[in-house]
Amino acid sequence: MYPDNLIYEIAFSSLRGMNRVLAGELLGRIHSEQAFFEASSRQLGAVMGFDNKLFADDYRQKVLDEARREADFVIDNGIRPLYYTDSRYPSRLVDCDDAPLMLFTLGSADLNSGHYVSVVGTRHATPYGISFVNRLVEELASEVAGGITVVSGLAFGIDVAAHTAALKCGVPTVGVLAHGLNMIYPSQHRSVAAEMVRSGGLLMSDYRSGAPVHKGNFVARNRIVAGLCDCVVVAESAAKGGALITANIASGYHRDVFALPGRVCDRYSAGCNRLIASNTAALVQSASDVIDAMNWERKDSKPAQRELFVELSTEEQAAVDYITTRGEAQANELAMSLNMSVGRVMSMLIDMEFKGVLLAYPGGKYRLT
């Protein structure tokens, strides 16, 4: 048994070229999605005062048949469809003219509570960008009253770093997909996606399960990433890329946009630097910049801050001196330099991470905070 009007809502939202303006015009005269599909093409033309290929009987029947199959998929897989007239539909998207009429969601996140922050960036994230994302999400999670939800696109690089950071901090995270919920792309992120759903987050798409996947989908989904949030933070971006598209869409939606600056010679800071130079984005260095600009209330009780001066052992200080000279180091390098076993060095490095002295990076490298 299908929920009331589900098939007709899926079908109506799937009509070619359908948008909020056209939907309002059609439903203003036809009165319901079901009536639109039950009327003949001649009746629709007479009521609307014009003919359109959308009114063709064979076309509408084909769309309706596809919608029935999609409704089966939705029900069988516990997916929650959100039609644009549903009270659970994201209120932030309501003001966006090109927002989808139907969203398919999997998960339990409340799309209309708390503060929503979209964190986007290049697929070729550097340790600089990943470190910033981890710190940003951690500080937002610990300082913002009312809670935050992190939104991104589940892509490689900055996207998955944002989702992972949210999971570590225990805050919900929403992944906006460029394909139906019958798959996860990239497949390497299936475990992250599953953990997002289990942890109170959500996966979302405006594409049906049978819809073909193509490059344009990834650009189109950026409008949802931009419209779903209160603000967008671009962590890293080359001179061209999807993150810049998201930032410009967000600016058009009158959302606040922030960008992490980088060196002029860094390829994956070029886009951020351009956003800042063009006044499309405000410069961001920490969560405080976002919190202050958004005028968000801070939590009354803050966790104890890390000590300004950390007491280090002789060996730990030697490790700090070594890394300071070289910029980074691996455990085996430190073991040889300090004449210590690798196991003992690893134990020391873990202690130094807890003290907030070091950060671990991909490839087993360590750098000072």
Side-chain angles (χ1 to χ4, degrees), residues 49-68:
F50 60 87
D51 289 325
N52 190 287
K53 292 182 179 180
L54 294 180
F55 302 163
D57 293 330
D58 56 347
Y59 172 70
R60 286 183 296 135
Q61 186 58 53
K62 176 185 176 183
V63 171
L64 205 57
D65 291 341
E66 292 173 348
R68 288 193 179 94

Side-chain angles (χ1 to χ4, degrees), residues 276-296:
I276 296 168
S278 65
N279 291 321
T280 302
L283 185 151
V284 62
Q285 301 179 81
S286 68
S288 290
D289 295 327
V290 176
I291 297 169
D292 293 341
M294 299 302 296
N295 198 28
W296 287 343

Side-chain angles (χ1 to χ4, degrees), residues 8-9 11-33 36 48 50 54-55 83-85 97 99-102:
Y8 295 108
E9 289 175 349
F12 191 74
S13 64
S14 302
L15 292 170
R16 185 170 301 168
M18 183 55 63
N19 55 41
R20 301 283 289 276
V21 175
L22 180 56
E25 184 176 348
L26 289 173
L27 295 176
R29 299 191 185 188
I30 307 300
H31 303 304
S32 76
E33 295 81 3
F36 175 83
M48 297 303 298
F50 60 87
L54 294 180
F55 302 163
Y83 197 52
Y84 78 110
T85 57
D97 291 338
L101 268 63
M102 177 69 80

Side-chain angles (χ1 to χ4, degrees), residues 153-166:
L154 201 62
F156 287 114
I158 294 297
D159 284 20
V160 74
H163 293 307
T164 303

Side-chain angles (χ1 to χ4, degrees), residues 88-256:
R88 299 170 301 172
Y89 186 91
S91 58
R92 296 171 182 84
L93 282 178
V94 171
D95 296 330
C96 305
D97 291 338
D98 56 353
L101 268 63
M102 177 69 80
L103 290 169
F104 300 100
T105 67
L106 182 63
S108 58
D110 186 341
L111 297 169
N112 291 311
S113 69
H115 305 292
Y116 269 64
V117 182
S118 291
V119 181
V120 298
T122 178
R123 293 169 180 260
H124 306 283
T126 70
Y128 172 66
I130 293 173
S131 175
F132 167 76
V133 168
N134 289 336
R135 186 162 41 88
L136 173 76
V137 174
E138 181 180 3
E139 292 173 357
L140 288 174
S142 64
E143 294 186 26
V144 176
I148 67 158
T149 297
V150 175
V151 180
S152 202
L154 201 62
F156 287 114
I158 294 297
D159 284 20
V160 74
H163 293 307
T164 303
L167 292 172
K168 288 180 179 177
C169 295
V171 297
T173 180
V174 173
V176 184
L177 308 182
H179 47 75
L181 294 178
N182 59 312
M183 62 179 291
I184 294 296
Y185 178 86
S187 59
Q188 293 94 321
H189 295 165
R190 285 177 183 167
S191 60
V192 176
E195 185 62 25
M196 289 164 64
V197 174
R198 284 195 298 266
S199 302
L202 185 141
L203 301 177
M204 169 190 297
S205 177
D206 62 326
Y207 293 101
R208 291 171 295 140
S209 62
V213 179
H214 58 80
K215 186 167 62 175
N217 293 10
F218 295 89
V219 176
R221 67 98 180 270
N222 290 341
R223 78 193 194 284
I224 301 177
V225 175
L228 195 63
C229 68
D230 299 304
C231 64
V232 170
V233 179
V234 185
E236 283 187 307
S237 175
K240 295 182 180 180
L244 298 187
I245 295 173
T246 304
N248 285 302
I249 293 173
S251 181
Y253 288 160
H254 305 292
R255 304 294 196 265
D256 287 85

